[in-house]
Amino acid sequence: MSHVAFIGLGNMGSGMAANLVKKGRTVRAFDLSAAALDKAQADGATKAPSAADAVKGAEAIVTMLPAGKHVRAVYEGEILAHADKGAILMDCSTIDVASAKHVVGAAEGRGLAMVDAPVSGGIAAANGGTLTFMVGGTEAAFARAEPYLAQMGKAVIRAGNAGAGQAAKICNNMLLGITMIGTCEAFNLAQRLGLDAQTFFDISSKASGQSWSMTSYCPVPGPVPTAPSNRGYEGGFAAALMLKDLKLAMEAAQGVEASTPMGAQAEAFYQLFNTLGGAPKDFSAIIKLLNGSWK
Ligand code: NAD
């Protein structure tokens, strides 16, 4: 029986591979980390000794790796040479647009179908099978990838041709970084002006200042009980990953000469926050830099 090869079983890939198993797929897994592979095996996948071995004979190949250099190395070093011609290749990592286009081009050059399919939603969504996939690739490649991605997420949306999935992801996350800083500034000013945080939330969340940053990840504890601000800014979306995505957005903006002054400010502010030790905290913790409570 054919199988799905899954490479990169870290925080995100682990839950995604487990969901494919739960949906009845046979999964062959590879990761450089022995602990990650043990976890995948415990979740029902079989271990492969290398990426090349995992992809041999696979009908579909999913990768969930840290950054563009890992994706280029794994595809160009192992996957492209060993994948079956009939396999569909899906890279779900968040990487730079140039690397995404390059790897898809290299796959197509060998007659292989591939999409870039980065995700929105964190570890909880990966575990729960509720990710949103933003997909770049031909319509034919999208149609082949969609049934696999749908088993790991709640929405699978084609953004355009190769690289468009990564483009959609970094534009979205640039906007998210900017709105979070704006939301933090507004709460800080409101409190300094003597407004109660809950009262400001009740008004602004129903007025034109409303955004996901306010209503889902409200940076002050209280108004949104499920927000990371209520648990010491633990869990959620790490400031380190927000900085990574802002850097990717700024790199892409430079490449196409797009003006992104607010994105550049957000990158600089998250860089400062990361340098001061904020990297592992949820990105909404940046409010602590503004209100002077960051230690
Ligand atoms: P992670 O570091 O936990 O996992 C990456 C895994 O890839 C690790 O287990 C590592 O050992 C493995 N790996 C690295 N090089 C490899 C190689 N050559 N061969 C095989 N395995 C290799 O990272 P993560 O949090 O799972 O994130 C993965 C991707 O998803 C990143 O691009 C990240 O930006 C993106 N993402 C993460 C989140 C999140 O909340 N963590 C949310 C959305 C998107």
Side-chain angles (χ1 to χ4, degrees), residues 8 10-12 30-32 64-66 74 94 121-122 169 241 244:
N11 289 321
M12 297 291 290
F30 177 70
D31 194 293
L32 294 177
M64 194 54 165
L65 297 161
V74 173
T94 300
K169 162 91 188 179
L241 287 174
K244 173 193 168 183

Side-chain angles (χ1 to χ4, degrees), residues 8 25 44 89 166 194 213 226 267 276 279:
R25 303 277 185 192
L89 282 49
Q166 299 295 349
S213 295
T226 50
E267 182 202 5
L276 293 175

Side-chain angles (χ1 to χ4, degrees), residues 246-272:
L246 286 166
K247 283 182 185 296
L248 290 175
M250 292 308 98
E251 196 182 311
Q254 256 189 354
V256 293
E257 295 186 9
S259 297
T260 51
M262 300 303 289
Q265 288 289 315
E267 182 202 5
F269 200 29
Y270 274 104
Q271 180 69 67
L272 176 65

